[in-house]
Amino acid sequence: MTIEELKQHVRNVPDFPIPGIQFKDITTALAHPECLKCMRDELVNRYKNLGITQVVGIESRGFIIAPAVAMEIGAGFVPIRKPGKLPAETIQISYAKEYGLDTIQMHKDALNENDIVLIHDDILATGGSMAAAIELVKKTGVKKIYVNCLIELVGLGGRKLLEGKADSIDCLLEIEVDE
Ligand code: AMP
């Protein structure tokens, strides 16, 4: 399966969760066995030779592909979660969203200065959540941070916001924000 074919399996849901948002629904691609395999294989090929020790997934759609990739490249999996979900001691970051503040947490002992990390999420939109995730991971002193999203929503400035914050920023496919 090609990336272009994969793109055809991402469903656009207009006006979800609020009017005016074109929601990119990856569940249609996840339910398609060849798409699922394509997403995993593409990421494995891109990240297998970089010495990555931990794949960090952002709750919740960043939890779907990340563990499969981690297993294939010989890395572990670390979750970044919403407040109050992780049981042990956490570190956290709060960041501005369109309306109000959002907070994300990670276990304090999940990463250390010997780790090389891939942070993964499903969609890069404005980049606010990924920028916060990078900042959170940086607190642990890791050696390198690679960033990957399945989809880049082009036109929202996410890539620009992340520029210079990570060792690389890479998305499998690009979709125009109004496409
Ligand atoms: P942002 O912080 O603006 O880059 O938003 C990224 C997060 O919000 C990701 O975790 C996505 O799952 C979700 N998200 C933002 N915009 C969309 C969209 N148009 N369709 C689906 N998910 C979105």
Side-chain angles (χ1 to χ4, degrees):
M1 168 165 293
T2 65
I3 296 289
E4 213 27 62
E5 286 166 333
L6 172 63
K7 185 172 170 176
Q8 304 311 318
H9 287 86
V10 176
R11 172 166 57 189
N12 188 69
V13 183
D15 300 320
F16 181 88
I18 53 169
I21 300 288
Q22 303 290 330
F23 192 88
K24 307 303 171 197
D25 176 19
I26 62 162
T27 64
T28 38
L30 294 170
H32 192 289
E34 278 180 52
C35 291
L36 193 58
K37 191 170 175 325
C38 174
M39 290 186 262
R40 186 207 50 188
D41 292 350
E42 276 291 330
L43 291 195
V44 169
N45 280 335
R46 289 172 197 215
Y47 295 103
K48 66 183 170 192
N49 294 322
L50 298 172
I52 291 165
T53 55
Q54 297 291 340
V55 181
V56 175
I58 302 176
E59 185 173 4
S60 58
R61 288 185 292 270
F63 290 180
I64 302 169
I65 300 293
V69 174
M71 280 184 269
E72 291 291 322
I73 66 174
F77 171 73
V78 171
I80 284 182
R81 300 208 64 181
K82 290 162 187 151
K85 303 281 188 186
L86 291 168
E89 197 180 343
T90 58
I91 52 175
Q92 69 177 47
I93 287 278
S94 294
Y95 61 103
K97 296 266 277 191
E98 203 176 348
Y99 303 106
L101 277 186
D102 226 339
T103 300
I104 51 172
Q105 297 182 329
M106 183 174 67
H107 273 143
K108 193 178 175 185
D109 60 0
L111 300 170
N112 63 53
E113 59 279 0
N114 296 316
D115 282 314
I116 297 176
V117 169
L118 169 64
I119 311 178
H120 169 80
D121 201 1
D122 66 334
I123 289 174
L124 178 65
T126 65
S129 354
M130 187 55 85
I134 293 170
E135 204 183 324
L136 186 60
V137 167
K138 276 189 178 166
K139 283 188 180 206
T140 65
V142 300
K143 276 191 201 151
K144 276 190 173 187
I145 300 175
Y146 299 101
V147 165
N148 171 269
C149 293
L150 297 175
I151 299 168
E152 176 176 351
L153 281 186
V154 179
L156 292 177
R159 184 172 284 273
K160 186 134 191 57
L161 183 74
L162 300 185
E163 245 169 38
K165 292 189 166 71
D167 291 276
S168 77
I169 298 152
D170 175 61
C171 301
L172 286 197
L173 47 97
E174 295 182 356
I175 302 182
E176 293 297 325
V177 65
D178 292 325
E179 206 174 303

